[in-house]
Amino acid sequence: EAGVGKTTLAAMFPKPVFIRTEDGTQSLVGHPDVSLFPLAATSQEVFDQIEALATGDHDFKTVVLDSITQLSTLIEGEIVAADPKAKSINQAGGGYGAGYGAAATVHGRIRDWMGALAYERGMNVVFVGHADTETMDLPDSDPYSRYTVRLHKKVIPHYTDNVDLVGFVRLKTFVRGTDEKKRAISTGERELIAYPMASNVSKNRFGITEPLPFDL
């Protein structure tokens, strides 16, 4: 969710360098070991920055892409701009989901290039994204809502499949009041969910089965 410390958490990884599609550097004050690429205004600039890490000499140990949500906005805008007949991503490429399919292809390349930094340069790879909600309507249960990544459904698998951890940072919230009048209360404490839950998209390969304290 917004403002819970995702960028600050990413900055705590070893020797991080940020590829930025949105300007959230204020939260990095107090982290002198964090390096920042110039703010990327196009998807090509993102590719160029990844290539610089792949081919240049450096001692960075972590690359952070902040955020994939804004990156998606950039990519979709570029796809619409390249199609003179399209006024929105829904109309791009002739419609019927073609625009989102094209966007997913670009995200797939981003994921592959970032993966190469992990496999060939030994870097940690961190993707930061914003949350959204969706309704799950499954054949064996009643409909319910859950948090997911604020991306199109064709794009989400590039950032949730075949990864070591998908984490969801949330405020610890309690419901108080009567049945007629209830309200949510939070102490400001946060926690990181990194194991499968019905209420949000999350998982890990480290045997984590309980919420992790999120005290930055």
Side-chain angles (χ1 to χ4, degrees), residues 66-129:
D66 188 4
S67 70
I68 54 176
T69 308
Q70 180 60 23
L71 172 63
S72 190
T73 299
L74 291 177
I75 292 172
E76 291 177 11
E78 292 166 357
I79 290 171
V80 173
D83 186 343
K85 296 182 179 180
K87 295 182 179 180
S88 69
I89 190 66
N90 291 314
Q91 298 174 346
Y96 301 100
Y100 288 112
T105 298
V106 180
H107 282 280
R109 288 179 56 212
I110 293 283
R111 166 64 194 270
D112 289 344
W113 283 38
M114 293 283 273
L117 294 178
Y119 297 128
E120 298 176 13
R121 299 296 297 257
M123 299 182 72
N124 302 303
V125 175
V126 179
F127 297 109
V128 177

